[in-house]
Amino acid sequence: MRLYEYEGKEMFKQYGIPVPRGIVVNTGEQARQAAVSIGKQVVVKSQILGGGRGKAGGIRVAETPKEAEEIAQQQLGMELMGYKVNELLVEEKLDIENEIYMGVTIDDVSGMPIAIVSAKGGIAIEEVARENPESIASSLVDPMYGLRGYEAINLVSQTRMTGKALASASSILCQLYKVFESYDMRITEINPLVITTEGRLVAADSRCEIDDHSLFRHPELEKVAVDRIQDFWEREGAKAGANYVGLGGNIAVMANGAGLAMSLLDMIDYKGGHAGCFLETGGGLSRERMKKGVGLLLRKAKSDPRIKVILVMARMMMSPPDAVAEGFMEAVNEVKVAIPLVAVMRGRESYQKRARELLKGTGIKLYLSVEEGVNEAVRIAAK
Ligand code: GDP
Ligand code: MN
């Protein structure tokens, strides 16, 4: 999960990394007041979950509170790089002498954290890596020990910084590593780390991405993670505790298990069909899971005329067939939509039988063979 700039800066602050004085606002009037309370020139920064805002016009300097208000009014509600701007960060403007880059991420090759610094800040590091690779210095970090002071100094000194700036930048890098580690981040970046004309070092931007697999360790962030998923149906899927992937064809697919879902997609493909989306609910199917999953695909079908058929596959090893059938029917009775339903019920022999008995006469086309079920779904979709 990506964090907003102001959220990352809040974490930086907790770890002693200097950040500009700033206030988050969502109206023009609040922006004006923020500029008044900061009491000098400010930068008005659109808060979106993507970088490169500077170039796209999402970062503007305001000389006066009145101007901050005007800029805020222009930016709020604006669409910037595919994101709607709902919040702004109004910050004291820094007088920039120099901009450098520092970041911590995971090195794909070694699987270890890697600390990276570059004298070329303010530009995306990917771009620097292409155009000026010689300006980048990096060092793998042993996660047992963390980033040690001398390692940080060694690394930062490769940017030709000396004296107080070197000491200050090195200690910021150590703290940045601690932020990275404490929040289980995949990437933690300060770009640019500004050296002001008075010689202060300040983190002018933050880019932080938390590894979604560790969100359970950060319950306060886990709560907001789902709301941040951009795509409506993906978000609905996550709310249902499942994984939804949109695919663009006309067969909506659900299966309890990612491998199972992928195999179904593969077979649909092989039979000349086109999956419209798939929903993977995870292994154990409860009544609730079944209801939420089928309900989601029914709602999708209701709102998207491209979907011609829903194919549900349940493999019941531990999942009780009564719960599976009940959840299925609860969804069908709740979300009324005229769409053909094909279901493949597999798993333990007694479970298959029981589920088919329970669903008989409901209008759902029931199959024991995966191939036959897929054939039927593809046939309906091709009509
Ligand atoms: P990004 O484009 O989304 O990465 O947004 P940044 O926050 O990194 O800002 C982009 C650029 O705007 C920076 O590299 C700076 O050159 C400039 N900028 C940001 N904040 C300030 C500031 O306080 N003062 C000045 N003079 N420039 C700033
Ligand atoms: Mn930046």
Side-chain angles (χ1 to χ4, degrees):
M1 172 175 73
R2 175 129 186 194
L3 301 180
Y4 285 104
E5 176 189 7
Y6 69 87
E7 294 173 315
K9 282 178 166 172
E10 203 50 55
M11 293 172 181
F12 289 177
K13 211 156 108 183
Q14 281 166 20
Y15 281 79
I17 297 172
V19 297
R21 271 189 301 145
I23 298 168
V24 180
V25 304
N26 55 27
T27 67
E29 170 58 20
Q30 287 175 4
R32 194 186 60 75
Q33 282 171 10
V36 170
S37 90
I38 288 168
K40 54 178 283 199
Q41 288 176 316
V42 294
V43 276
V44 180
K45 310 182 79 178
S46 292
Q47 297 301 290
I48 55 170
L49 298 171
R53 296 163 301 165
K55 279 185 195 153
I59 299 195
R60 306 251 315 265
V61 175
E63 304 289 331
T64 64
K66 180 94 185 47
E67 201 185 341
E69 180 173 358
E70 285 161 12
I71 293 171
Q73 279 162 354
Q74 284 166 25
Q75 293 198 342
L76 286 165
M78 176 174 86
E79 183 149 318
L80 195 64
M81 297 145 70
Y83 295 91
K84 189 158 168 250
V85 179
N86 295 318
E87 288 173 315
L88 305 170
L89 177 59
V90 178
E91 272 187 350
E92 67 172 304
K93 180 181 167 243
L94 303 169
D95 295 317
I96 299 178
E97 172 79 34
N98 208 350
E99 299 179 275
I100 66 167
Y101 169 95
M102 58 175 60
V104 184
T105 186
I106 299 286
D107 174 52
D108 287 339
V109 178
S110 61
M112 283 166 77
I114 184 168
I116 305 166
V117 294
S118 167
K120 294 217 178 296
I123 310 160
I125 192 73
E126 296 81 4
E127 198 176 311
V128 179
R130 269 197 311 275
E131 321 236 313
N132 298 88
E134 75 292 343
S135 77
I136 298 178
S138 65
S139 162
L140 292 174
V141 181
D142 185 333
M144 281 293 283
Y145 300 105
L147 182 66
R148 286 171 287 199
Y150 72 88
E151 292 174 315
I153 292 171
N154 270 343
L155 191 57
V156 174
S157 56
Q158 294 177 48
T159 63
R160 301 218 167 82
M161 268 197 238
T162 53
K164 255 175 73 183
L166 171 61
S168 178
S170 306
S171 86
I172 289 174
L173 184 57
C174 287
Q175 294 310 106
L176 192 68
Y177 182 83
K178 286 182 189 156
V179 174
F180 172 86
E181 186 185 42
S182 316
Y183 286 97
D184 298 302
M185 289 188 184
R186 295 166 36 125
I187 186 158
T188 312
E189 253 185 22
I190 306 177
N191 189 23
L193 176 64
V194 160
I195 305 175
T196 67
T197 48
E198 316 97 81
R200 276 195 307 145
L201 270 67
V202 186
D205 191 11
S206 82
R207 172 178 166 196
C208 298
E209 274 178 48
I210 300 196
D211 187 335
D212 288 342
H213 295 102
S214 71
L215 276 172
F216 73 96
R217 285 159 44 117
H218 310 282
E220 65 303 341
L221 295 165
E222 193 176 26
K223 269 187 250 147
V224 296
V226 168
D227 296 326
R228 290 206 185 165
I229 301 173
Q230 290 276 105
D231 179 82
F232 175 81
W233 293 105
E234 276 179 33
R235 193 165 61 241
E236 289 297 293
K239 279 188 199 162
N243 288 311
Y244 175 93
V245 181
L247 297 165
N250 54 13
I251 305 173
V253 180
M254 174 175 147
N256 60 327
L260 206 53
M262 299 295 264
S263 316
L264 277 180
L265 294 186
D266 198 39
M267 196 182 277
I268 289 170
D269 211 42
Y270 182 71
K271 301 284 182 182
H274 303 282
C277 58
F278 85 80
L279 188 72
E280 183 269 298
T281 61
L285 274 176
S286 61
R287 189 182 58 81
E288 198 58 26
R289 272 198 173 184
M290 195 68 193
K291 180 182 175 184
K292 282 185 178 162
V294 174
L296 189 147
L297 291 191
L298 288 167
R299 282 189 289 136
K300 167 74 181 166
K302 203 169 182 172
S303 72
D304 184 347
R306 286 176 307 179
I307 303 295
K308 299 288 184 230
V309 56
I310 294 176
L311 172 64
V312 175
M313 165 143 187
R315 185 161 194 275
M316 297 164 290
M317 295 311 287
M318 303 303 229
S319 317
D322 291 67
V324 169
E326 278 166 29
F328 204 139
M329 287 319 294
E330 277 175 31
V332 170
N333 292 327
E334 204 172 287
V335 189
K336 299 248 181 284
V337 48
I339 182 116
L341 297 166
V342 178
V344 180
M345 293 290 158
R346 290 204 62 85
R348 291 193 201 190
E349 195 155 336
S350 59
Y351 284 12
Q352 300 170 1
K353 261 201 200 131
R354 176 79 183 143
R356 281 209 309 282
E357 262 167 37
L358 290 166
L359 290 171
K360 218 189 209 150
T362 58
I364 301 170
K365 300 196 167 192
L366 297 164
Y367 289 90
L368 186 56
S369 146
V370 182
E371 188 169 13
E372 284 170 22
V374 168
N375 277 340
E376 177 62 6
V378 171
R379 190 187 64 76
I380 296 170
K383 268 202 284 202

